[in-house]
Amino acid sequence: PGSYLPYKGMQLVMTITSHNFKRISHEWFYFVFKLLSLSDPKMSRSRAFTLLSSIRKGVGTGLAFAGAGALLSSALLVAARYRASQADAQLPSEFVLEVPLDRLRVVDAINASPLAVLTGDINQVELPQVVSALRNAAKDERCQGVVAYIGPREHLGGLASVQELRDAILSFRAAATGRSVTTAAFAASFGEAGSSGMVPYVLATACERLYMQPSGMVGLTGLESRSFFARALLDRVHAKPLILAREEYKSAANFLTKSGFTEAQRANVTNLLGDMAGQMVAAMGTARGVEVEAVRKAMDAAPLLPAAATAAKLLDGTKYKDEVQALFRISDKALGEEKVRLGSKHKRRKDDVRMARVPLDKYIRLMELKKASAAASKEGLAGWLKGTPFQGLALLLTGKASSGLGVTAATEGRGGDGFGAHRARARAAGAVPGPGH
């Protein structure tokens, strides 16, 4: 039996490829019969035939369910793509784009690890998506403005991210000059418990109007940098670090080799903070129409109460969030369309004149659905069935089946490794032979 079964199995495969269906049935029966005889020597042919018939029925039923599942999943995917094509219709005829940075956290790339879910860090939005959404909103005739809720410093990322986000809001204002749009920023406070509000405030100045809660403060208290030094701890355990550093301004190893700031490191950090603060002060003064010296004077007196900040033209006044939202008033036409669209679900109070607001994360999601739907429609039937078991059939029926080849190259290197990057680029272009050539 040990030599018979592999032989008959190979013979069966050869028989299938020859499309001799009558012999397939015959060989298949005897192959299964011999296989069953190994486990039960008393197995009769009739019992083997009955068992084989039940196996055939079970396999047929399983294939039927698999086919039905494939059809159902394909239908659901097509239905989802059709709904995505209608995503643009979910937006009202007039709306304000909300940028809730008090709830959302701007990041370069979303952290999809389970740890982010466990720590509650799920309200993330990627900076490129925010910039793209503002660019699309500037072209969208239905968008009547932007209202930004400025949150804590930790939600905004680094200064470079804040500057890019600020430029995106300014670009929205410039691109939408052909129609009446308004941009407003609101914050409960710019800096709390003595912390600096420089970074949140410089972002808020990208908007035309700037308001703060009556109980808040404008904490333009400058910038600071903190460093940790572990040399005292190493001395306690009698450990002496041996680290080579190039010149005095290469201070990365100072936290192990020094007990505090060296003069070179202090000068380096001070100059860096001074340059950053200079950029921020210049941006604040230009946006608010205030001289740079006046901004620096306000920084010397900070933190400022709302009245002093308004007198210094750093604020347009104090308002609560709903009062800032009321700056964007809904038109009678849009209100009538809202009543028709919502029907019995329309619950707006008579004194509520605020325009419909679309949160930034929802707007990004709708724009991505619209883009994906447009790409699927462009490909025709194959696009609608993309990702389903019927995608290949659609390509054959439409005559769009093709083959292609693409190459993607990814490189990694140390920071500042300009020679390595140049060599990698030249090698990719064929100017420098690779290893082994």
Side-chain angles (χ1 to χ4, degrees), residues 28 59 112 120-121 191 197 236 240 307 314 339 393 412 422 425:
W28 171 246
V59 172
D121 193 12
R236 285 187 179 184
K240 185 178 180 180
L314 299 179
K339 291 180 179 179
L393 178 61
E412 293 185 7
H422 177 76
R425 181 179 179 184

Side-chain angles (χ1 to χ4, degrees), residues 23-63:
R23 191 176 179 186
I24 288 175
S25 178
H26 178 75
E27 294 290 338
W28 171 246
F29 173 77
Y30 278 100
F31 176 68
V32 175
F33 176 70
K34 291 291 184 181
L35 187 63
L36 293 175
S37 299
L38 291 177
S39 59
D40 187 2
K42 298 181 179 180
M43 175 71 66
S44 62
R45 289 194 176 187
S46 60
R47 185 181 175 188
F49 182 79
T50 303
L51 184 59
L52 180 60
S53 299
S54 62
I55 292 175
R56 286 172 52 191
K57 291 180 180 180
V59 172
T61 304
L63 291 176

Side-chain angles (χ1 to χ4, degrees), residues 163 166 202 205-206 277-289 292 295:
Q163 289 175 332
R166 187 177 187 273
V202 75
T205 57
Q279 295 179 31
M280 298 169 71
V281 170
M284 296 174 192
T286 302
R288 300 300 300 170
V292 172
V295 177

Side-chain angles (χ1 to χ4, degrees), residues 108-132:
D108 292 330
I110 291 179
N111 182 12
S113 67
L115 183 60
V117 178
L118 294 175
T119 57
D121 193 12
I122 56 176
N123 292 324
Q124 303 177 28
V125 60
E126 294 184 354
L127 178 61
Q129 292 179 326
V130 178
V131 174
S132 178

Side-chain angles (χ1 to χ4, degrees), residues 187-323:
S189 181
F190 292 102
E192 297 183 48
S195 62
S196 176
M198 292 276 290
V199 175
Y201 182 80
V202 75
L203 174 60
T205 57
C207 298
E208 300 168 79
R209 303 183 184 181
L210 180 53
Y211 299 96
M212 187 178 67
Q213 195 169 278
S215 59
M217 291 189 303
V218 181
L220 303 183
T221 55
L223 302 176
E224 67 175 4
S225 176
R226 301 183 183 184
S227 296
F228 172 77
F229 296 95
R231 180 58 189 270
L233 176 62
L234 296 178
D235 290 341
R236 285 187 179 184
V237 297
H238 305 287
K240 185 178 180 180
L242 298 176
I243 302 176
L244 298 178
R246 184 178 181 181
E247 304 299 340
E248 66 273 17
Y249 286 99
K250 292 291 186 179
S251 57
N254 283 7
F255 81 102
L256 292 176
T257 60
K258 306 296 180 182
S259 300
F261 279 105
T262 63
E263 291 301 323
Q265 184 180 4
R266 186 181 298 276
N268 194 10
V269 174
T270 301
N271 290 336
L272 177 62
L273 293 179
D275 290 343
M276 294 169 62
Q279 295 179 31
M280 298 169 71
V281 170
M284 296 174 192
T286 302
R288 300 300 300 170
V290 179
E291 296 292 334
V292 172
E293 291 302 321
V295 177
R296 292 191 180 277
K297 184 178 179 180
M299 290 174 61
D300 293 337
L304 302 176
L305 293 175
T310 303
K313 298 183 180 180
L314 299 179
L315 294 176
D316 289 309
T318 57
K319 291 181 182 295
Y320 290 99
K321 181 184 285 190
D322 60 328
E323 294 176 324

